[in-house]
Amino acid sequence: MVAILALLIGVGLFRIVSTYHVFNHNIDEGAHLACGIQWFQGAYTYDPKHTPVARISTALLPYMSGVRGFGNPSFWQEGVLVLSSGGHYWRTLTLARIAMLPYYVLAVVVIFVWSRRVYGSATALIAAGIFSMLPVVLAHSALAGTDIPLTAFFITAVYAFTRWLAAPSWRTAAGFGVAAGLATATKLSTVAFLPPTMVGILLLYFLSGRRADASLDENRDRWGVGSVRGTMRSMAVGLICVFLVIWTVYRFSHAPINKFSTAPDKIAARVFGPTSSATRGVRFLTARLQLPVPELYTGLRDLRDVNRSPVRSYLFGQVKEGGWWYFYPVAIVVKTPLAALLLALIGAILLTTGWLRSRADWQRPVPLVAFLAILVAAAPTRLDIGVRHVMPVFAFLSIMAAVGAVALWNGDAAQATGSPNGSRTMMWAARLALIVLFAWLIVSSGRAHPDYLSYFNEFGGSDPARILVISDLDWGQDYTRLSTYLREQQVRHISVASDTYFDPATLGFPETVLLQCREPATGWVAVEERRARLHAECYQWIATQPVKAYVGKSMRVYYIPEPASGQ
């Protein structure tokens, strides 16, 4: 069993690494690396709305190899400078991407361990295998970002929470606290996703009949939900661990109260008068009393402001300021292999009906509850810019798909017919269907190579950009391919409409002009698919021109001749 798991992980790692030199850095990779390098150089001010664990990981090997920051005011431009420094672009990018591999492994292993404990070894191996070959998982495991690290730590935190509920002790409480702290210190999505997930699991727990072994009753009263005191004791242990993990990641930073907020000084001035002794006393205290982790507070505030700001989103060919409540369900449906979706649907139905019928085991439906809790939490967000923002759902989907697969193989539906001959026929039909679904999944995953990022299932059709485009199809990843195409065509000058920060010389481009909105050009012109779809008003001048070539999955190339003299 362990050998098969190791083989699945090894195959996944090989597929991930084999994409490194196919794609240049995407829009975000350079920025994440710049922020990580800044952390190693003693600060974390570039982009605090993302907590630093994933960025520290991304920057570790480049920093050890001698890469240093330049102090550019823009972390986007800083990312380009850091990647290109010393003429070692590909080495630096590869070192940054390697940091994602341990998180991929951790996610697969946690899925396996969790599933084996709740459902058995066969389900565990299938769940790990499905997750390990999902194109969206492979795509983001190959990029120096925050999404696979969040997935690994988030599912670890949810699993640790179930372990505390099932066997409460100070150890399981501390384990959950550490895992939740790491997830929060990796991405602030945890703050939105984890509480509703915990609430859903607690509802399952209290509505179920069998909760724990009798031998655990004493520990449950002391550390679990068997008593108010036990619950408070575990909460205290967990919160202390969360705080210590986060504070450690921020290197025990602290700042005066007035650096966090000017509200206390303003309130004092309004209540006591701006020149009163009481107001001066409040100002004295707020200037000297220290609070920990000011960067986290700033990050939460920045994230709130971003979510309130009018960010352009794209779905089904429509551009909207903000988003749609159904964006992420649609994205999951079109970005997941249909075989995995069908198996997950079967698994979800079986888990739901099985629990409603007996309410005997609260742990079995947890993946379904966690899956739904994330979608509910994400529905109101205005940041509908890629399914990557709900990446942990694919871990829970994989577990549900494995439950469905094992049920098909065992003929659970057939056993309900009561007829031996009918049951036997249905069982073999179910097994044949399962074999077809597995073959379909493997072929779908294999055919996606190396374009895992831009993978769409059959619902995507021949033009998936009509459904999704922002980081689900185009994340600025095809400039290496564009550079190759331009060399083959012996192009000496190119105009590019781009959302991506990159150094044309580093990627081997000819003389390059970056086009501004509504700026026309002649000769060779390249337009990112996301630019053309998301900012169509900028490119009306080229809309009627024939596309000369599509490069990769995300670049349109045009050739626009000079206007005839006299026209």
Side-chain angles (χ1 to χ4, degrees), residues 24 63 93 119 128 155 261 300 315 357 391 406 441 474 517:
N24 55 277
Y63 186 81
L93 182 59
Y119 310 102
I155 63 175
S261 174
L300 288 167
L315 182 66
R357 195 163 42 238
M391 274 293 293
V406 171
L441 173 60
D474 180 359
C517 182

Side-chain angles (χ1 to χ4, degrees), residues 302-312 321-322 382-383:
D302 289 353
L303 191 61
R304 177 204 62 192
D305 293 342
V306 168
N307 195 45
R308 290 177 177 177
S309 63
V311 178
R312 282 194 174 191
E321 301 288 349
R382 297 169 63 87
L383 292 173

Side-chain angles (χ1 to χ4, degrees), residues 203-539:
L203 287 174
L204 271 180
Y205 175 83
F206 285 115
L207 293 174
S208 297
R210 181 168 62 86
R211 297 174 187 166
D213 297 334
S215 60
L216 294 173
D217 285 348
E218 181 179 346
N219 245 10
R220 186 163 303 281
D221 290 338
R222 188 176 181 186
W223 289 103
V225 292
S227 69
V228 174
R229 183 174 295 179
T231 303
M232 297 302 292
R233 186 181 286 116
S234 282
M235 286 179 59
V237 170
L239 288 173
I240 289 171
C241 290
V242 169
F243 169 73
L244 288 176
V245 168
I246 294 174
W247 201 21
T248 301
V249 169
Y250 282 102
R251 290 178 297 215
F252 307 105
S253 62
H254 52 83
I257 294 174
N258 59 13
K259 296 296 184 182
F260 284 78
S261 174
T262 59
D265 293 347
K266 292 179 179 178
I267 293 172
R270 189 178 301 117
V271 173
F272 303 113
T275 60
S276 68
S277 57
T279 299
R280 288 197 299 271
V282 170
R283 288 173 178 167
F284 176 84
L285 290 175
T286 58
R288 284 163 177 77
L289 290 179
Q290 303 283 311
L291 291 179
V293 202
E295 301 93 340
L296 180 62
Y297 176 82
T298 303
L300 288 167
R301 184 177 56 196
D302 289 353
L303 191 61
R304 177 204 62 192
D305 293 342
V306 168
N307 195 45
R308 290 177 177 177
S309 63
V311 178
R312 282 194 174 191
S313 299
Y314 178 93
L315 182 66
F316 291 128
Q318 296 182 358
V319 178
K320 180 180 178 182
E321 301 288 349
W324 298 263
W325 68 265
Y326 51 85
F327 177 88
Y328 290 109
V330 170
I332 292 167
V333 167
V334 299
K335 293 287 289 179
T336 307
L338 287 179
L341 280 177
L342 290 171
L343 289 173
L345 179 61
I346 294 170
I349 292 171
L350 290 173
L351 290 172
T352 302
T353 56
W355 183 79
L356 289 175
R357 195 163 42 238
S358 63
R359 296 192 179 183
D361 189 351
W362 62 270
Q363 296 189 64
R364 290 183 63 83
V366 164
L368 174 59
V369 169
F371 179 91
L372 295 175
I374 292 175
L375 292 185
V376 170
T381 182
R382 297 169 63 87
L383 292 173
D384 291 346
I385 53 175
V387 73
R388 62 192 176 87
H389 287 289
V390 293
M391 274 293 293
V393 301
F394 292 100
F396 304 122
L397 183 148
S398 298
I399 296 174
M400 291 188 290
V403 171
V406 171
L408 281 178
W409 185 260
N410 291 337
D412 289 358
Q415 294 172 11
T417 64
S419 169
N421 291 332
S423 296
R424 190 176 299 109
T425 301
M426 289 185 65
M427 182 183 71
W428 284 108
R431 289 186 175 182
L432 178 60
L434 178 62
I435 293 171
V436 171
L437 287 173
F438 272 148
W440 188 7
L441 173 60
I442 293 169
V443 170
S444 297
S445 178
R447 289 182 63 187
H449 184 83
D451 291 286
Y452 301 121
L453 180 67
S454 54
Y455 167 83
F456 283 75
N457 61 30
E458 287 76 4
F459 288 144
S462 60
D463 183 22
R466 77 188 191 283
I467 305 173
L468 299 170
V469 69
I470 308 173
S471 81
D472 287 317
L473 183 140
D474 180 359
W475 210 1
Q477 74 272 14
D478 278 326
Y479 283 93
T480 303
R481 287 169 163 171
L482 178 60
S483 176
T484 300
Y485 174 82
L486 296 176
R487 286 196 300 273
E488 291 172 350
Q489 300 298 316
Q490 298 182 345
V491 175
R492 296 184 178 181
H493 182 278
I494 182 75
S495 301
V496 181
S498 172
D499 276 337
T500 307
Y501 288 83
F502 70 102
D503 178 12
T506 297
L507 295 179
F509 272 61
E511 181 184 356
T512 302
V513 172
L514 298 180
L515 295 177
Q516 303 301 313
C517 182
R518 297 187 176 89
E519 179 185 357
T522 57
W524 290 91
V525 178
V527 182
E528 287 182 352
E529 192 69 39
R530 61 182 285 148
R531 288 292 302 175
R533 302 272 182 168
L534 199 60
H535 303 280
E537 74 280 3
C538 294
Y539 304 103

Side-chain angles (χ1 to χ4, degrees), residues 83-285:
L83 281 169
S84 303
S85 63
H88 301 298
Y89 172 84
W90 285 110
R91 187 187 73 176
T92 301
L93 182 59
T94 298
L95 291 175
R97 289 173 169 176
I98 286 173
M100 298 299 104
L101 301 182
Y103 295 112
Y104 171 81
V105 174
L106 175 61
V108 175
V109 170
V110 170
I111 290 170
F112 176 81
V113 172
W114 184 355
S115 301
R116 183 174 60 178
R117 189 176 68 83
V118 178
Y119 310 102
S121 297
T123 305
L125 199 59
I126 294 170
I130 291 174
F131 181 82
S132 73
M133 68 175 70
L134 291 179
V136 67
V137 172
L138 295 170
H140 292 281
S141 299
L143 302 173
T146 59
D147 303 301
I148 281 297
L150 170 67
T151 301
F153 285 136
F154 186 85
I155 63 175
T156 302
V158 176
Y159 175 54
F161 183 66
T162 67
R163 294 295 297 128
W164 170 74
L165 273 179
S169 68
W170 71 266
R171 292 182 180 85
T172 52
F176 169 64
V178 170
L182 287 170
T184 305
T186 298
K187 198 168 185 179
L188 287 175
S189 305
T190 304
V191 177
F193 294 160
L194 192 55
T197 301
M198 293 167 60
V199 169
I201 294 172
L202 285 171
L203 287 174
L204 271 180
Y205 175 83
F206 285 115
L207 293 174
S208 297
R210 181 168 62 86
R211 297 174 187 166
D213 297 334
S215 60
L216 294 173
D217 285 348
E218 181 179 346
N219 245 10
R220 186 163 303 281
D221 290 338
R222 188 176 181 186
W223 289 103
V225 292
S227 69
V228 174
R229 183 174 295 179
T231 303
M232 297 302 292
R233 186 181 286 116
S234 282
M235 286 179 59
V237 170
L239 288 173
I240 289 171
C241 290
V242 169
F243 169 73
L244 288 176
V245 168
I246 294 174
W247 201 21
T248 301
V249 169
Y250 282 102
R251 290 178 297 215
F252 307 105
S253 62
H254 52 83
I257 294 174
N258 59 13
K259 296 296 184 182
F260 284 78
S261 174
T262 59
D265 293 347
K266 292 179 179 178
I267 293 172
R270 189 178 301 117
V271 173
F272 303 113
T275 60
S276 68
S277 57
T279 299
R280 288 197 299 271
V282 170
R283 288 173 178 167
F284 176 84
L285 290 175

